[in-house]
Amino acid sequence: MSGLALIWAANVKGLKPAAKIVLIQLADFHNEETGQCNPSAQWLVNECEMGRATLFRHMTTLEVCGLVTRHARGDGDGGRGSNQYELHLDITLGRSLRSKGGGSGPNGVASQNEMGEKVSRVRRG
């Protein structure tokens, strides 16, 4: 468990509650020393208390927002193993500073959250 990753996940803004639950569960599984995060899909389904398709829909949202990168892994016998997840702890999301007239705010607009609102990618220095 990485306290830093949990604090980061808790402070991410602009996600639907279910997507944030997935992010927090991933952060809880993050190893601060190795940077690895390798929970099985079944573990995430159980901990997040949602169906597999719902889990992967929220995981896709987290990827589109740039918070998580999913890396497929094999099990060594030619089958699939649990995915490895990379958490981008330098990115936070929040309401965009972009005006309705166009152009982007000081942080730029990266994507939309699940509710269709614009979100900003902010890199911490």
Side-chain angles (χ1 to χ4, degrees), residues 48-108:
C48 296
E49 299 184 33
M50 60 183 63
R52 192 175 183 92
T54 302
L55 171 75
F56 285 113
R57 187 175 70 244
H58 294 305
M59 192 67 68
T60 298
T61 297
L62 298 175
E63 287 183 287
V64 168
C65 290
L67 296 167
V68 175
T69 301
R70 199 175 351 181
H71 303 282
R73 298 185 315 156
D75 66 0
D77 292 327
R80 292 212 40 192
S82 63
N83 290 327
Q84 180 173 344
Y85 301 94
E86 179 182 355
L87 304 181
H88 301 287
L89 303 178
D90 60 334
I91 297 176
T92 60
L93 299 180
R95 294 203 182 269
S96 173
L97 300 175
R98 181 178 168 181
S99 67
K100 291 185 179 183
S104 60
N107 299 317

Side-chain angles (χ1 to χ4, degrees), residues 2-37:
S2 168
L4 177 65
L6 280 170
I7 291 169
W8 165 77
N11 286 304
V12 169
K13 305 293 182 213
L15 295 171
K16 280 187 172 181
K20 190 156 186 173
I21 287 170
V22 174
L23 184 63
I24 288 171
Q25 290 300 328
L26 283 171
D28 189 39
F29 213 86
H30 183 259
N31 182 318
E32 193 168 355
E33 291 181 23
T34 66
Q36 291 189 1
C37 186

